[in-house]
Amino acid sequence: MSDSDSTLSQAADAVEEASNHPALDVLARAGFAVMALLHVIIGAIAVAVAFGQPGEAEPTGAIEQLAANTWGPAVMWACVAACMGLALWQASEATLRVRRKSGKERLSKLISSGFLAIAYGSVGLSFAGFAVGLRGDSSESTKDFSASLMATPWGLWALVALGLTVIGIGIYFVFKGIRRGFKDELFHFDGTRRGRLIDGLGVSGHIAKGAALGLTGLLFVIAAAKHDPNESTGLDGSLKALRDHPFGPYLLVAIGAGFIAYGIFALIRSRFGRM
């Protein structure tokens, strides 16, 4: 190994050691707790929407609920720190902590944890926006994004690719739930009665989240097929579109309950999960 390679390796080891600091572990666990709370709120809003009540069943709608209290700004900034800490932890999972694994394992972790790092960082930025007084309609933002994308030469194909990617992520969540792929993340209660209950929460939660993501991705594809950005309305729009079908309210209640189950599972994971 050359001197430059040795120096880079030593630098990477030092950064990896820093990423194992207990403070980042605490922030990451707090980030999981924040995401758990958001899923519970989104699930509750989805159930309310099924019964004709107003609300935005997506992250910004849930964040707005958290911001609407006396301690709103302080809560928002605390959630920013937690989500950014979780994003940084996922980024270290995608890069630093898989350096000694095989190429296939590194690629898989880079894709999965890298995507989660971006997702958690985006949620953190949403909290920051609310903390400084910015408000936005997620559905309208998604429509504007789709319209901007369609205005480019390859925009329609890019929108189809985005929709298929989101559908693929949804399918991944469904299969992860069915095959109990989440068990590696939480093994503290294996073989116990509580463990079976937690498994049930994990299965139903992952399947519900996967179904919701699949619907969201499908709307992107439909928007591209119809050349109409108004068809792409994000998670909130996809759930509200589901409500208008004959059995939609029942499915919406089931998905909402599944989101609540996922949130409870994520809250348990924040305390007892592998880090």
Side-chain angles (χ1 to χ4, degrees):
M1 181 182 293
S2 66
D3 290 342
S4 60
D5 289 340
S6 177
T7 301
L8 287 174
S9 179
Q10 289 174 1
D13 288 339
V15 176
E16 181 180 357
E17 184 176 351
S19 73
N20 291 323
H21 194 279
L24 182 58
D25 185 273
V26 170
L27 275 179
R29 289 188 185 278
F32 277 122
V34 170
M35 297 306 299
L37 184 57
L38 288 183
H39 279 84
V40 170
I41 296 174
I42 291 171
I45 294 174
V47 173
V49 167
F51 289 99
Q53 299 299 313
E56 293 183 36
E58 39 79 37
T60 57
I63 294 172
E64 187 173 12
Q65 296 287 330
L66 289 174
N69 62 76
T70 306
W71 297 94
V75 171
M76 293 299 98
W77 287 118
C79 290
V80 170
C83 289
M84 290 306 181
L86 180 55
L88 183 59
W89 180 81
Q90 287 288 1
S92 69
E93 284 280 289
T95 54
L96 297 171
R97 300 177 185 178
V98 293
R99 290 180 299 128
R100 299 173 183 83
K101 296 186 180 294
S102 67
K104 184 178 179 181
E105 287 179 297
R106 286 202 306 272
L107 179 60
S108 175
K109 198 64 176 175
L110 176 64
I111 294 172
S112 60
S113 292
F115 170 80
L116 289 173
I118 294 170
Y120 295 143
S122 298
V123 174
L125 291 177
S126 295
F127 274 110
F130 274 82
V132 298
L134 297 178
R135 299 290 188 271
D137 186 316
S138 179
S139 295
E140 290 300 322
S141 299
T142 305
K143 291 177 186 177
D144 292 342
F145 168 76
S146 298
S148 300
L149 201 57
M150 286 183 182
T152 63
W154 295 95
L156 289 176
W157 292 109
L159 199 59
V160 169
L162 175 61
L164 292 176
T165 300
V166 176
I167 290 172
I169 295 170
I171 293 172
Y172 164 78
F173 268 92
V174 170
F175 274 92
K176 184 177 180 179
I178 292 173
R179 300 179 63 181
R180 290 173 167 78
F182 52 82
K183 288 181 72 67
D184 288 342
E185 302 170 2
L186 180 68
F187 49 83
H188 185 79
F189 298 106
D190 246 3
T192 67
R193 183 177 298 176
R194 288 182 182 179
R196 290 190 290 273
L197 175 60
I198 293 169
D199 279 357
L201 291 171
V203 170
S204 58
H206 280 81
I207 292 175
K209 184 170 181 176
L213 287 172
L215 288 171
T216 303
L218 182 61
L219 288 183
F220 280 117
V221 176
I222 291 173
K226 291 185 175 181
H227 295 246
D228 183 4
N230 291 322
E231 294 287 345
S232 58
T233 52
L235 176 60
D236 179 62
S238 66
L239 294 179
K240 287 178 178 174
L242 182 65
R243 179 187 58 188
D244 298 330
H245 288 78
F247 295 99
Y250 301 103
L251 292 174
L252 194 49
V253 168
I255 290 175
F259 264 77
I260 293 172
Y262 184 91
I264 296 171
F265 170 83
L267 187 61
I268 296 169
R269 193 222 188 284
S270 73
R271 174 63 181 84
F272 298 106
R274 180 193 61 80
M275 300 294 289

